[in-house]
Amino acid sequence: MRIRSSKSNGAASKLVAMAKKGSSRATIFFIFVSFILFCAFLPVFAPLPSFHSPHRSHRNTVNRKFEIASDRFWRDGEPFQIIGGDLHYFRVHPEYWEDRLLKAKALGLNTIQTYVPWNLHEPAPEKFVFEGFANIEAFLKLCHKLGLLVMIRPGPYICAEWDWGGFPGWFHSINPTPKPRSSDPTYLQLVERWWGNLLPKFVPLLYDNGGPIIMVQIENEFGSYGDDKAYLHHLVILARDHLGHDVILYTTDGGVRENLEKGSIRGDAVFSAVDFSTGDDPWPIFNLQKEFNAPGKSPPLSAEFYTGWLTHWGEKIATTGADFTAAALEKILQKNGSAVLYMAHGGTNFGFYNGANTGVDEADYKPDLTSYDYDAPIRESGDVDNSKFNAIRRVIARYSSVPLPSVPSNNEKARYGPIHLQRKAFLLDTFDFTNSTNVFESETPMPMEYVGQLFGFVLYITEYRAKRGGRILFIPKLHDRAQVFISCPSEDGARPTYVGTIERWLNNKLNLPDVKCHSNINLFILVENMGRVNYGAYIFDRKGILSSVYLDGEKAKGWKMFPIPLHNLNEMSTYNPITQASYSAFSEIKSSRKKLTYKHENTSKEPAFYSGHFSIDKSSQVMDTFISFSNWGKGIVFVNDFNIGRYWPSRGPQCNLYVPAPILKQGDNFLVILELESPDPELVVHTVSEPDFTCGSNGMSLHQL
């Protein structure tokens, strides 16, 4: 994209000047710090190190250097082969970071690559979070402690099968909406603010400053999306301004000429890495990579070597052969190529943060599973006793410069027996429709983001006149899935009647039945955001009802929108009437229908909260487990107020949700389920010791991007 005004050019020049000025100050400061450290750690009468050789033959705690020369990586003057793996701190419980990193090291990895999701760290404008799952500094310091180098991918776009590729959903509440991944000035201002808070945290952790970070990525696979060099150059200027001119910046693009032309920055300012399908002949692609790097500055690097693949709801679980994967890796390593396994350990899409993809058009929507196991060598629960881990480890052992550590054991799993649940409240009973202060009103439906609800659910309500023969409901643009209910207010004590479900990928119309009612009929539409699209042309993915709603071809007007505040990953559980209802006895729910009974109460199609508990007698018995949702419909589950994620066994393939031991505790543990469709008639779930990806229909197909 062309820069359309001299103002933009002026801003860029100013940033260049700032970068040079910042770099000068940083250089003086680092020389001073280096001298102090040198004096502090140099033993008395120790010989001074040689500074004459461009590639020193020994490492020095003061003069650390990671660089590219002669088409090789060099670490402190010695040739270095990156054998790395992606492991995302935000997909692993912080108490398990060390466990997973030690297993990655036992696999033979010397480097960890991780994305940084903007939406996790800035969940609301200018509200920055760097604690809990978002404590990236603690994660990086732990990598350093364990002797692992780091390649960091701060985006601002990350893809990662993560909601909207890491962009914050509150972008959609800004008018006009910033255009991500472009030179849009509003977007760039937000990036500058974000990176201004993030990148300074990396400075003391850069390799040359004594930390683990050897490379920092600019954007992510931009060549598969756009062709805006001004945008990429702006990111480079920002990164240099904060990080200095010594750290290696890199781009990653698919290993075809078109992608590299659009996504790379020629010359030696930014290193261009590639990725490609596992099993492709790597060396012709590495030769192509050389064309986009300066002479002598193109060490062959597959920045995403795929050990598995992602899976969407409704597909068979994606798998790749262990020996096939290991053999493909060896083709890279045996000729001194470098590779980063994507993924070394996948982890879990806790909360509402899973992403989604699209197929032929925007309506061909494919949300990702809660599990991000990815068929990686280190499984979702950290297990390493599997053929893929062993096969890859055998290959890496042949090329590692140091002996591999022993392999840790799998974490123990426990079964805590069946958990019997009670229905605590129907979801619709938790709203006060007459006196609510948390309601938004407009003539036409508003997107979720406009009512301050970025994840989960929004309830849309209007009313219509009864019509003989019923009516036809049509929502041209729905993101992503809606359950529809009707009720007659004049029929005292009547519960809402489930009419049907509308899904984005089917774009189906719904017949509203003929109801005899002496007043207007209430229409309830409960809309679920199932994850924003994270890749491709359709990533501009607002949620909720995005069009007019039609009844028999006429627009329905006069809408009320009720946000449903269910907490997400890394959010503290706070009091609100929705979640509080799940812990309260049915008689305590303040509703006009609070004392009603429902004769089919265990098979109701109406969304409801269910809760139960299980006890763990000893602290030594607190272990990982899985919760099986066989015979349940679709919903969200919380364990001890932690949002484990979505379940949908009827669609499959995921049957069980992983529960890490750090979420559990000795004594009583509480389970709360928001079941949207059809609870198990027995109202019971089972804790089991293994994952299960065999649910859903047998007619599912495997999709790959």
Side-chain angles (χ1 to χ4, degrees):
M1 179 180 292
R2 295 177 182 174
I3 298 177
R4 291 177 288 185
S5 70
S6 58
K7 183 177 179 180
S8 297
N9 285 326
S13 300
K14 184 178 179 181
L15 282 168
V16 171
M18 289 173 62
K20 291 179 178 178
K21 185 177 180 181
S23 176
S24 177
R25 290 197 305 266
T27 302
I28 295 171
F29 175 73
F30 290 145
I31 291 172
F32 175 73
V33 171
S34 298
F35 178 76
I36 296 298
L37 290 174
F38 179 79
C39 295
F41 290 100
L42 186 69
V44 178
F45 304 120
L48 292 173
S50 170
F51 294 94
H52 300 292
S53 172
H55 302 305
R56 295 175 292 279
S57 60
H58 64 280
R59 292 181 187 169
N60 187 296
T61 58
V62 176
N63 296 291
R64 290 159 56 92
K65 192 72 176 174
F66 194 91
E67 56 194 329
I68 295 174
S70 305
D71 287 336
R72 299 290 300 270
F73 294 110
W74 297 83
R75 180 186 184 186
D76 302 339
E78 297 177 0
F80 186 79
Q81 186 176 28
I82 294 175
I83 305 177
D86 264 82
L87 193 160
H88 302 155
Y89 61 97
F90 46 92
R91 284 184 160 121
V92 179
H93 195 286
E95 290 188 33
Y96 271 162
W97 286 345
E98 184 164 0
D99 173 80
R100 304 305 195 257
L101 290 171
L102 287 172
K103 288 169 178 173
K105 195 167 183 177
L107 183 62
L109 306 187
N110 55 33
T111 305
I112 295 297
Q113 184 171 248
T114 185
Y115 286 120
V116 184
W118 186 351
N119 51 10
L120 179 69
H121 292 279
E122 194 179 2
E126 298 191 76
K127 178 189 175 184
F128 293 98
V129 179
F130 292 99
E131 299 172 347
F133 276 78
N135 194 342
I136 185 171
E137 290 173 281
F139 178 79
L140 296 174
K141 289 175 182 177
L142 183 57
C143 290
H144 187 46
K145 171 189 169 185
L146 299 177
L148 290 161
L149 302 178
V150 173
M151 297 166 61
I152 201 152
R153 314 172 88 178
Y157 165 79
I158 66 170
C159 186
E161 288 74 65
W162 192 255
D163 186 84
W164 203 14
F167 290 126
W170 50 260
F171 274 21
H172 287 305
S173 66
I174 301 173
N175 190 15
T177 302
K179 186 180 179 183
R181 311 190 77 183
S182 79
S183 294
D184 170 36
T186 303
Y187 166 66
L188 292 181
Q189 287 177 0
L190 294 171
V191 172
E192 289 167 12
R193 187 178 74 193
W194 161 229
W195 273 14
N197 280 272
L198 175 69
L199 297 189
K201 297 180 183 297
F202 297 160
V203 172
L205 298 168
L206 297 176
Y207 186 83
D208 289 8
N209 295 341
I213 299 174
I214 56 172
M215 297 170 65
V216 179
Q217 182 173 296
I218 298 297
E219 242 275 350
N220 184 56
E221 295 182 325
F222 187 71
S224 301
Y225 175 79
D227 190 9
D228 186 348
K229 294 293 186 183
Y231 165 54
L232 294 180
H233 282 284
H234 189 86
L235 294 182
V236 172
I237 292 170
L238 283 177
R240 291 295 183 205
D241 185 41
H242 290 292
L243 303 176
H245 287 267
D246 293 330
V247 66
I248 298 171
L249 302 181
Y250 70 109
T251 57
T252 301
D253 284 287
V256 296
R257 183 173 297 278
E258 180 182 3
N259 291 345
L260 286 164
E261 289 282 6
K262 293 179 179 179
S264 64
I265 299 175
R266 289 181 180 268
D268 62 358
V270 180
F271 168 62
S272 297
V274 292
D275 56 42
F276 43 84
S277 298
T278 302
D280 286 354
D281 186 351
W283 291 99
I285 300 172
F286 289 144
N287 288 333
L288 174 65
Q289 176 194 4
K290 284 187 175 183
E291 296 183 28
F292 296 87
N293 287 306
K297 298 287 188 176
S298 193
L301 171 65
S302 173
E304 291 188 8
F305 175 88
Y306 301 108
T307 61
W309 202 250
L310 62 106
T311 304
H312 306 117
W313 290 108
E315 298 175 354
K316 290 182 179 178
I317 191 69
T319 59
T320 57
D323 292 337
F324 168 80
T325 304
L329 177 62
E330 185 154 30
K331 288 182 180 179
I332 296 173
L333 300 184
Q334 67 186 358
K335 294 184 179 180
N336 289 322
S338 293
V340 181
L341 309 184
Y342 193 99
M343 297 290 296
H345 171 57
T348 309
N349 294 317
F350 293 118
F352 296 115
Y353 274 116
N354 67 275
N357 290 290
T358 51
V360 294
D361 55 32
E362 187 178 5
D364 187 14
Y365 172 77
K366 308 172 191 296
D368 297 326
L369 302 183
T370 298
S371 172
Y372 198 63
D373 179 84
Y374 214 85
D375 197 32
I378 305 171
R379 309 315 299 263
E380 180 181 13
S381 60
D383 287 0
V384 292
D385 186 13
N386 63 76
S387 58
K388 184 169 287 186
F389 185 95
N390 293 331
I392 291 175
R393 188 175 190 269
R394 283 195 297 270
V395 166
I396 293 176
R398 291 196 281 271
Y399 302 96
S400 175
S401 60
V402 295
L404 302 192
S406 58
V407 179
S409 301
N410 291 344
N411 294 337
E412 291 189 77
K413 314 293 189 301
R415 299 185 181 192
Y416 298 109
I419 304 173
H420 295 277
L421 300 135
Q422 291 182 325
R423 194 186 68 215
K424 294 297 186 181
F426 286 118
L427 175 64
L428 298 182
D429 285 349
T430 63
F431 296 95
D432 185 342
F433 295 125
T434 58
N435 295 310
S436 177
T437 57
N438 192 29
V439 61
F440 295 79
E441 299 186 40
S442 67
E443 277 296 286
T444 57
M446 298 166 63
M448 292 179 69
E449 294 87 355
Y450 283 14
V451 300
Q453 187 69 43
L454 302 183
F455 299 95
F457 304 84
V458 166
L459 180 65
Y460 293 80
I461 301 177
T462 191
E463 57 182 40
Y464 65 93
R465 286 181 286 105
K467 179 183 176 183
R468 191 170 182 179
R471 290 180 175 268
I472 296 177
L473 173 68
F474 178 53
I475 309 176
K477 195 164 186 179
L478 170 74
H479 288 190
D480 298 305
R481 191 172 188 270
Q483 293 165 262
V484 181
F485 306 85
I486 59 174
S487 71
C488 176
S490 60
E491 187 178 337
D492 188 41
R495 293 210 60 77
T497 300
Y498 170 74
V499 177
T501 298
I502 302 172
E503 295 176 321
R504 171 178 176 176
W505 46 95
L506 297 177
N507 199 26
N508 51 310
K509 296 181 180 180
L510 206 60
N511 292 318
L512 303 182
D514 187 356
V515 176
K516 293 181 180 180
C517 185
H518 298 298
S519 62
N520 284 345
I521 298 171
N522 287 332
L523 174 64
F524 303 90
I525 304 177
L526 178 66
V527 178
E528 180 182 4
N529 165 2
M530 291 197 62
R532 292 180 182 84
V533 174
N534 58 261
Y535 180 84
Y538 305 110
I539 63 171
F540 303 98
D541 192 20
R542 273 198 183 94
K543 294 302 183 180
I545 296 178
L546 308 180
S547 65
S548 294
V549 175
Y550 294 87
L551 292 170
D552 294 340
E554 296 183 358
K555 292 181 181 179
K557 297 181 179 180
W559 289 87
K560 293 182 178 180
M561 277 97 9
F562 291 83
I564 301 177
L566 300 172
H567 59 274
N568 201 0
L569 174 67
N570 213 42
E571 292 178 351
M572 293 299 294
S573 179
T574 56
Y575 175 84
N576 68 69
I578 305 295
T579 53
Q580 184 62 25
S582 63
Y583 291 102
S584 303
F586 217 5
S587 60
E588 294 175 271
I589 302 300
K590 295 181 179 180
S591 166
S592 60
R593 297 185 290 267
K594 63 184 178 182
K595 293 185 179 179
L596 285 171
T597 57
Y598 192 62
K599 62 181 179 180
H600 303 299
E601 67 178 51
N602 287 359
T603 57
S604 169
K605 278 283 196 177
E606 189 179 341
F609 288 101
Y610 300 82
S611 68
H613 67 95
F614 60 98
S615 183
I616 302 178
D617 295 333
K618 301 177 181 178
S619 59
S620 60
Q621 296 172 337
V622 177
M623 302 176 187
D624 289 358
T625 192
F626 295 84
I627 300 178
S628 171
F629 287 91
S630 297
N631 299 324
W632 287 76
K634 184 180 193 302
I636 309 294
V637 59
F638 300 84
V639 177
N640 294 334
D641 283 337
F642 183 89
N643 190 334
I644 294 294
R646 312 173 198 263
Y647 64 89
W648 198 5
S650 59
R651 184 63 58 96
Q654 186 173 1
C655 314
N656 305 344
L657 294 188
Y658 171 56
V659 183
I663 292 170
L664 304 177
K665 60 184 179 181
Q666 182 182 1
D668 273 343
N669 292 265
F670 293 92
L671 181 73
V672 174
I673 294 172
L674 172 58
E675 168 60 49
L676 299 171
E677 295 183 343
S678 51
D680 178 298
E682 302 298 323
L683 295 187
V684 64
V685 295
H686 295 271
T687 54
V688 296
S689 57
E690 295 180 352
D692 185 355
F693 295 99
T694 62
C695 287
S697 65
N698 294 323
M700 297 181 296
S701 60
L702 174 63
H703 294 275
Q704 291 197 354
L705 293 179

